Amino acid sequence: MTEVLLIVVSLTDVPRLLGLVDRLRSAGLTIRVALAVPASGAAAEVEEQLGGEVAEVRLVRMNLSGRRGGVAPARFSRRWAKVVARNLVVRGGVRVTDDERRGWLMVRYDPWIRRRARVADLILAADQGAERSAELAAGHNRDAVRLTATDPALEGVLAQLSTTVPLRRLLRQGLARTTAEEVVLAWKRVVADPTEPHLRDLAGEAVSVVQALRRGHAFEEAEVVARAAQGLDLPPVDRAALRVELAANQVAAGEYPARELAEAVRELLGFADEALRAGDLEAAGRMAVQATDAVLHRELHADVLASPLLADPEGFLAPLRESLTFRALRAPSGSMAWVLRGGSDPASAELTEVSGPFESSESAERSELPASLAPATTLAGPPPRLPGTPAPSRVLVVPGDYPHFTQGIIGALAEEPDLEVRVLNLREPGVRRRYQRGALVLDRLRDAVGRPVPAPAQPDADLLEWADTIFVDWCDNAAQWVTIHAPRTTRLVVRFHSLEAISPQPHMVDWSQVSEVIFVGQHVRELVERAVPELTQVPGRHVVPNEMRLERFGLPKRAGAERTLAMVGWAQRVKDPLWALEVLARLRASDPTWRLLLIGRDFSRHQHAGALRYQDEFRERAAADDVRDGLVYVGYTTELPDVLRDAGFVLSASRREGFPVGPTEGAASGAVPVVRDWPMYADYAGAGGIFPAEWVVRSPEEAAERISAHADPVRRAEAGDAARRHVVEHFDWRVVEPAFRVVLLGPESEARGLPE
């Protein structure tokens, strides 16, 4: 919305004022009127007349309290005396001076004017006497246009503002202060006359406009803008970026234009490669980020039932892996310097191309990596330790974006008497470059081609130098940052969960710097090793479950548990609580005493569009008669072992999991596990590779059958006890800790043992 602050200091010509307001309304502007006039019956009448025509109308009120920060001056203090003297002058001036001076004084001392002026696009004096007042108000907003209603330029300014304001607001603030409809109308004016001086710059912002609309979930409007922009005379690189953005918008809206996406990404990365050869790393990095945003969009992979990445990693990622820019992003440090020298690959090897957009190629899967991408035969790092020498004594833990996954590990390490542990949380206040994707990608390119990389902040650098071993949990931005900045002699250990396997960062890491990789599940390992073949050169690759303390869940069940299911951490599309509702509906069809405990926080307000649609579907289904009375919303709890005493069954309905902590803890409580064969990992033996086959089901019908088969209290108790024994024997920290310790600290640490 284009905001106009209209300042009035005289009511001698009310019809003209009303006509001006009507002109502004016809231009589609949001009007706020400041009546800097004495209170009177006429003023009240005008206020009433305008009330239904404008967004806001105010009889200006002076605030002469002299407060600073909400605190009034102490009585009889020097400042109080100055305020009293000033108020006498101001009030006297308002009573006896002319309209112009009176209006100026009233505007000066009204805080409302200051607030409204700061967000106004046009500050308009309704009459000649209001010019000084408008000038005063404009002092609070140097970006606002200031005019008088009689200015001949007003009509042109209004037409210009109706185009430029919605677009500039969108680019600065998203859809917070404008609407998608206003943006589309404004963009059509740009397309109609892109050579107009005030529109020329906006015509070059086509990609950014589409991106901003997409991020505001205005997908239809984003497509309208993108297709209209294709008719503009844009540089070829901008046209390629626009094609990628159009495909990304369709993906975000729930579609999958496979061929168009592949072709657009290949075209854009061709320009990225040209920029890389020319030494314009900023442009190459910017295009690389845009390409991965489209190819690895969460709407295609994160919480869906089937992902083209999991179905065919080699073929789907071909448009990225064929690119010289992406070769550099995953190449060893300094190994791509020949690109900037204008030479050819010294290995004289080219990446194997995969024919067709996102089509599979068996030969591509097995082809040998070019030498420029392969890690050195000996990993850079400290010399091997001889048997009997001490294990590393200084461990730096970098938690990544989800630090709660390392809390138990940090606690265990910190209790080790001859081990010193420190933590570097890159999201804590400090240098934003540590986690900004654009900056990380640019630094990775600099590192690969041998250009200097900006040094980390000194406290960060000191921590990296201090450590013998750095453990990076989650292969996200933290892993990128650490592999760029850690000393080449430091031992690096990176852990994968599940989300990173479908994220951009693993494709932008120098894996030759990494000593060990931990996967929380074999299925995650299989996917990542297919998607990121450079990682297979890492000397140590291990499958180690998450850290869990399961013994504490062995509390007796309470009455009613035999007819109660539980879902832990339910309110995400990836957890698929809708699937759980279908299980509950089938059980309650024959026995209405069945209930489902939903344990954990409700849906987040900050989600992508597909997740928001899913949330609405869940709300509607949860209100249906067949399940509504069987739902118990427990909310977040720090007393999960006690809450699970009410659950005789624990349900995992997830579409994708790395290692499922909630269901495992439920099984440790003696609840009978019912684990969906996670659809995204069904071809990778996901759930079946972790849990016994009899726990795994493939449909709500199978889940209901398994639950009904254990409805007898004796059989349920026996199966629950067996499940508890299984997870405690296989996944409790006492069992997992030795393997984790060996990976983290090296084989020589095995005899030491971390505390339970």
Side-chain angles (χ1 to χ4, degrees):
M1 296 172 287
T2 305
E3 297 252 354
V4 178
L5 176 59
L6 180 62
I7 300 177
V8 182
V9 302
S10 172
L11 296 179
T12 56
D13 193 348
V14 173
R16 190 185 64 80
L17 173 62
L18 297 176
L20 174 62
V21 168
D22 191 55
R23 281 173 62 199
L24 298 175
R25 286 181 62 240
S26 299
L29 307 177
T30 298
I31 310 159
R32 304 188 189 279
V33 181
L35 296 175
V37 299
S40 66
E45 184 177 343
V46 171
E47 184 181 18
E48 184 177 353
Q49 285 180 282
L50 292 174
E53 305 295 320
V54 300
E56 193 174 5
V57 59
R58 174 183 173 88
L59 275 170
V60 175
R61 305 178 190 88
M62 295 187 296
N63 181 348
L64 300 174
S65 66
R67 291 177 179 271
R68 289 181 182 171
V71 179
R75 193 170 176 82
F76 301 118
S77 66
R78 177 177 295 183
R79 190 161 71 86
W80 175 84
K82 288 182 178 180
V83 169
V84 170
R86 181 206 66 186
N87 291 353
L88 288 172
V89 173
V90 171
R91 290 193 178 101
V94 167
R95 284 195 299 270
V96 302
T97 193
D98 58 23
D99 290 347
E100 182 181 25
R101 176 68 177 171
R102 183 198 62 247
W104 184 88
L105 286 169
M106 296 178 74
V107 165
R108 179 177 181 183
Y109 291 107
D110 187 349
W112 181 89
I113 292 284
R114 292 195 292 273
R115 291 195 302 272
R116 288 304 174 194
R118 289 189 185 110
V119 297
D121 303 295
L122 171 63
I123 298 176
L124 188 61
D127 46 68
Q128 291 297 129
E131 285 190 42
R132 286 191 64 201
S133 299
E135 182 180 3
L136 178 65
H140 301 293
N141 182 356
R142 298 301 181 187
D143 293 331
V145 178
R146 179 175 59 83
L147 286 176
T148 303
T150 56
D151 194 315
L154 179 60
E155 290 299 330
V157 169
L158 293 180
Q160 180 177 329
L161 288 176
S162 64
T163 301
T164 59
V165 168
L167 293 172
R168 296 203 184 283
R169 278 204 178 136
L170 176 78
L171 294 173
R172 286 197 308 266
Q173 302 169 282
L175 292 174
R177 292 186 56 220
T178 190
T179 66
E181 293 78 10
E182 287 178 314
V183 170
V184 169
L185 289 174
W187 187 255
K188 287 179 178 177
R189 297 188 193 103
V190 171
V191 173
D193 197 359
T195 60
E196 269 293 315
H198 66 279
L199 302 181
R200 192 179 299 120
D201 290 343
L202 289 171
E205 297 284 357
V207 172
S208 298
V209 170
V210 176
Q211 285 177 338
L213 287 170
R214 170 168 63 86
R215 289 167 184 156
H217 299 168
F219 304 121
E220 292 182 11
E221 291 82 358
E223 179 143 355
V224 169
V225 169
R227 295 201 180 281
Q230 288 179 329
L232 294 172
D233 185 19
L234 298 174
V237 64
D238 289 351
R239 296 180 68 83
L242 190 62
R243 287 187 64 202
V244 170
E245 197 53 44
L246 177 59
N249 182 69
Q250 292 170 344
V251 168
E255 304 173 29
Y256 176 34
R259 183 172 296 277
E260 292 83 354
L261 177 59
E263 291 174 352
V265 166
R266 281 190 171 100
E267 182 183 13
L268 180 64
L269 290 179
F271 288 106
D273 294 349
E274 291 179 10
L276 179 64
R277 292 188 184 96
D280 190 352
L281 305 189
E282 289 84 356
R286 187 168 57 250
M287 286 182 265
V289 169
Q290 188 187 3
T292 52
D293 279 350
V295 172
L296 295 169
H297 195 287
R298 64 178 304 128
E299 195 67 55
L300 277 181
H301 315 291
D303 46 16
V304 292
L305 294 171
S307 158
L309 170 61
L310 275 76
D312 177 16
E314 299 83 7
F316 181 79
L317 293 171
L320 301 183
R321 299 191 61 81
E322 293 165 4
S323 161
L324 180 66
T325 301
F326 271 85
R327 289 179 62 186
L329 284 169
R330 60 188 190 269
S333 177
S335 66
M336 300 287 284
W338 57 269
V339 173
L340 299 186
R341 293 195 296 266
S344 59
D345 187 340
S348 301
E350 295 294 332
L351 279 176
T352 302
E353 292 189 3
V354 179
S355 60
F358 297 100
E359 292 177 3
S360 177
S361 170
E362 292 296 328
S363 60
E365 178 180 353
R366 302 302 175 196
S367 61
E368 187 176 342
L369 289 171
S372 61
L373 293 182
T377 53
T378 57
L379 189 76
R385 292 184 178 85
L386 298 175
T389 59
S393 59
R394 298 186 297 272
V395 176
L396 177 64
V397 179
V398 184
D401 285 342
Y402 302 91
H404 62 279
F405 278 88
T406 56
Q407 289 173 354
I409 292 172
I410 292 169
L413 294 172
E415 293 176 11
E416 182 74 0
D418 54 350
L419 197 67
E420 188 176 355
V421 180
R422 297 182 185 176
V423 179
L424 174 57
N425 188 340
L426 300 186
R427 285 280 184 179
E428 289 179 349
V431 183
R432 294 181 64 200
R433 193 178 194 87
R434 296 186 301 193
Y435 55 84
Q436 287 179 308
R437 275 193 65 204
L440 287 170
V441 170
L442 174 57
D443 288 351
R444 180 75 267 273
L445 286 175
R446 286 171 170 156
D447 183 42
V449 301
R451 280 190 177 176
V453 176
Q458 194 59 49
D460 294 349
D462 291 343
L463 277 175
L464 295 174
E465 290 283 350
W466 166 87
D468 296 317
T469 294
I470 301 176
F471 170 50
V472 185
D473 196 28
W474 297 84
C475 187
D476 54 17
N477 290 334
Q480 269 190 279
W481 185 87
V482 169
T483 53
I484 292 170
H485 294 292
R488 300 312 185 202
T489 56
T490 302
R491 189 167 178 273
L492 301 186
V493 181
V494 177
R495 180 163 72 163
F496 274 84
H497 292 261
S498 175
L499 184 61
E500 316 98 286
I502 50 179
S503 299
Q505 288 86 347
H507 307 276
M508 303 179 181
V509 166
D510 176 3
W511 289 106
S512 72
Q513 303 300 330
V514 178
S515 305
E516 312 282 340
V517 177
I518 299 173
F519 303 92
V520 298
Q522 179 63 27
H523 57 295
V524 178
R525 175 176 177 170
E526 290 179 12
L527 170 61
V528 174
E529 289 184 349
R530 288 182 63 186
V532 190
E534 294 80 12
L535 183 144
T536 62
Q537 304 298 316
V538 174
R541 302 187 307 284
H542 318 268
V543 176
V544 183
N546 279 319
E547 176 263 340
M548 293 173 289
R549 313 299 174 112
L550 300 177
E551 289 283 6
R552 63 195 180 101
F553 286 89
L555 303 176
K557 297 295 181 183
R558 285 190 277 255
E562 65 278 0
R563 288 294 183 272
T564 304
L565 321 176
M567 271 190 77
V568 182
W570 61 279
Q572 304 173 60
R573 184 167 74 159
V574 70
K575 301 298 183 182
D576 212 353
L578 265 171
W579 195 88
L581 294 186
E582 297 307 324
V583 176
L584 180 65
R586 283 158 176 75
L587 293 171
R588 287 175 61 85
S590 56
D591 183 351
T593 63
W594 284 99
R595 61 181 189 150
L596 171 62
L597 305 183
L598 296 173
I599 304 169
R601 293 184 175 90
D602 205 338
F603 288 96
S604 168
R605 292 177 296 174
H606 307 291
Q607 302 179 83
H608 61 99
L612 290 172
R613 289 192 296 269
Y614 181 92
Q615 174 183 322
D616 293 340
E617 293 174 21
F618 174 84
R619 301 278 192 228
E620 182 178 357
R621 182 68 183 94
D625 292 342
D626 58 342
V627 294
R628 182 183 59 246
D629 295 335
L631 295 175
V632 181
Y633 296 90
V634 177
Y636 175 76
T637 178
T638 58
E639 303 296 334
L640 186 59
D642 184 67
V643 172
L644 288 174
R645 293 181 64 194
D646 292 317
F649 300 82
V650 63
L651 185 61
S652 170
S654 298
R655 298 176 171 189
R656 166 183 57 81
E657 287 281 1
F659 190 96
V661 174
T664 305
E665 292 175 337
S669 78
V672 176
V674 183
V675 181
R676 183 185 188 181
D677 191 11
W678 311 315
M680 284 184 64
Y681 279 119
D683 292 339
Y684 292 79
I690 293 177
F691 297 123
E694 61 268 24
W695 294 11
V696 181
V697 297
R698 290 163 184 78
S699 67
E701 291 80 9
E702 282 190 32
E705 289 172 7
R706 172 166 168 77
I707 294 166
S708 297
H710 293 83
D712 175 75
V714 174
R715 189 175 182 193
R716 191 216 61 77
E718 290 175 350
D721 290 343
R724 171 174 168 73
R725 286 194 302 272
H726 179 86
V727 296
V728 170
E729 289 172 4
H730 288 83
F731 305 128
D732 187 68
W733 180 239
R734 292 182 303 102
V735 180
V736 171
E737 173 266 326
F740 181 83
R741 181 181 68 248
V742 168
V743 175
L744 183 64
L745 303 178
E748 63 271 19
S749 68
E750 189 169 10
R752 293 176 9 173
L754 295 176
E756 296 181 9

